[in-house]
Structure formats: structure tokens, C-alpha cells
Amino acid sequence: MATAPDQLSVIADMLAEDLKGLPFAVLKNDRYIVLISDQFGVATVVGDRDAGGAHKAALEIARQAGLLGINVTVHPYVVSDRSDGDGDIFVRPHAIALDIRSSMTGKAGGKPPISNEDANRLIDFLNGRVHKTKAEPGKPANIPPLTPEFKRLLTACAEKALSDHKPWVAGVQISVDHLIAEDFMLAPLLLVAAENWTPPYLASKRQGGFAFSVSVADQTILGYKVTGLTAASPMIVLVAIAAAIRKCCKDGACVLDPYLLRFADFIGEIKGSADIFGETDMDAMLIASQE
């Protein structure tokens, strides 16, 4: 069950007020709230007794922290009047901040769960991402389709990055057109390019970013296709893609199987969750953004 945005806003406002004076950052998107503290740790909060959504949110934030090289346990919490089942993830509606703070204190065990520097890096990172991770369920992401001009730039970029190496996928040699095709390898390439690009770019405190959207496309090889791409600058995307391609090039071949597997893992992480992606129009997470 998805959490109603107005309910989540109320919970976020309550947490911001009740945690005032304590070292907590309170971030929110339309699916969950993120709490970050160098003294208490990192947590996600949802409402509507959505235990499944709480765990998915925690895994998502932990993965995003991992992109920055931050290894931290993210604790899920559900605002509910229930007290049975699923451990201590349920917190009382009338004592949300108190219950979460008490639980996180116990889990921290007196040791700082995350350094101040890493907490601030994660906050900066999520401030560029959390608020922009999802389109309205059932509605297309507000990301424009690729233009013919940009497709030509992608082709030239891929050709230069490949040099004399031939691209291969699953033991089959493919063309450059296949490599940057919206209904084939462009989605895995964009995902890996973004994940590789994010940590060093944010670590250097530079600005800019890009986002892409994918949708279910049953007639395609992967079952998904890229439906849109937006960027602070085309060069950001091209540099990231070129670096990702070169990373796979060796001895005359560019073997892209790891990127295909990473995309499959990514789809597996979010498949079937309407809280993260719409059923047909899936807004791929805004990756590597500090716009």
C-alpha cells in the first residue's frame, strides 16, 4: 500500500519539529522519509503500516550510500498502531520521534554508526536525488525523449570510446547502433555510467547531473527501453558513457555482459513495486545529480 503524500508530509513535519535541536537531517520524497544522523545513524520512515515499503526504502538508501563508498545499516520504520510482528520497526503514531530515536540509540550501541563527513556527503547526495526519484504512478516521467541531435552525439561518442574494439553482448558481436539503441543497450549503459560517475563527481563538489527514464517494452530484447533523458549538460552524459565503454574494452573487444547483469539486478530491485516505479512508465532514479 502506497503512503499518501499528505500523510507523509505530516509525519515529516512532526519529525522535523520533535527532532529539533538533535543532530538529524530529515529528507522526504513522495514514498518515504530519510533520517540521517552521525550520532544515531540512518533510517527510513513510511506510514500506512507499509512494512514492505519500509524495507524497500531502507535497501534503496543503503544502495545509494554504497555508491558513495559509505557502508551503513539503514533502519526501516513504519508509523502504525500495530505492535505485533516484524521486530521493532513499528513506531507509535503519537510518539514517532521518541520511538525512532530510542530504537536507533539502542542499535547504535554507543558507537557512531556513520562519520560526520559521510553523513554530510550522504545528505548532499540525497538532497539532489531523493526529491526527484519518481513520477506519479501511471503517469509518464517528466523527462523529454532523446533528440536526433543527441543520438548523433551518442553515436560519435560511442565510436570514439570503442576505438578499434568491437562491442560484444552475451557472446554476440553487436553494432554501435545496438550499443546506443534506446530499446537495447542504452539503458544498461546509462545506469552503469551514472553509478560510476556519481561518487567522484559529488566528492569533488561539482554541480550538474542527468536523469533518464525507462518503460516496460515487451517486444524488446531486454523488456525495457529508454523513454527520456535530461542533463544539466550533454557533455556530462557523454563523458560518463565514454568512460563506461572504455572500462570494458580490452584486447580488441568491449564485453558488456557485466552492464547487462547490473541492469538486470537494478530491475530486480525495483520490479513489481508501484511505490518506486509506475506499472508501465518507470522513472529511473535521478542518478548523479546536484542540480
Side-chain angles (χ1 to χ4, degrees), residues 208-225:
F210 65 91
F212 67 97
S213 58
V214 298
S215 292
V216 174
D218 293 334
Q219 303 304 313
T220 64
I221 295 175
L222 302 185
Y224 297 89
K225 66 178 181 180

Side-chain angles (χ1 to χ4, degrees), residues 38-218:
D38 59 352
Q39 294 183 24
F40 296 91
V42 182
T44 54
V45 186
V46 302
D48 281 347
R49 302 183 178 184
D50 187 10
H55 286 292
K56 288 175 185 175
L59 288 172
E60 183 177 314
I61 294 300
R63 187 178 70 84
Q64 293 179 19
L67 294 177
L68 298 175
I70 300 171
N71 183 18
V72 63
T73 299
V74 181
H75 306 294
Y77 293 101
V78 182
V79 178
S80 171
D81 51 9
R82 286 180 56 182
S83 58
D84 59 311
D86 212 358
D88 63 349
I89 76 167
F90 292 105
V91 296
R92 298 169 294 172
H94 62 278
I96 302 173
L98 176 63
D99 286 355
I100 289 177
R101 189 179 62 177
S102 298
S103 174
M104 293 179 75
T105 299
K107 290 175 179 178
K111 298 179 181 178
I114 184 173
S115 70
N116 180 265
E117 178 184 356
D118 283 347
N120 287 328
R121 286 202 299 134
L122 184 56
I123 291 167
D124 289 343
F125 185 41
L126 295 179
N127 269 331
R129 288 185 63 171
V130 164
H131 297 286
K132 304 175 183 178
T133 55
K134 172 182 170 290
E136 289 296 319
K139 295 181 181 179
N142 187 26
I143 298 179
L146 277 70
T147 64
E149 292 78 11
F150 190 76
K151 290 179 186 177
R152 286 194 287 270
L153 287 173
L154 274 177
T155 300
C157 171
E159 288 175 342
K160 182 163 183 161
L162 284 167
S163 186
D164 295 328
H165 300 83
K166 304 299 181 184
W168 291 76
V169 175
V172 177
Q173 184 176 328
I174 64 173
S175 67
V176 174
D177 288 340
H178 291 141
L179 180 59
I180 53 94
E182 293 144 283
D183 59 357
F184 190 18
M185 285 301 295
L186 183 58
L189 191 58
L190 281 170
L191 176 65
V192 174
E195 290 186 335
N196 290 343
W197 178 89
T198 300
Y201 203 83
L202 292 184
S204 65
K205 303 185 185 303
R206 298 170 69 182
Q207 301 295 302
F210 65 91
F212 67 97
S213 58
V214 298
S215 292
V216 174
D218 293 334

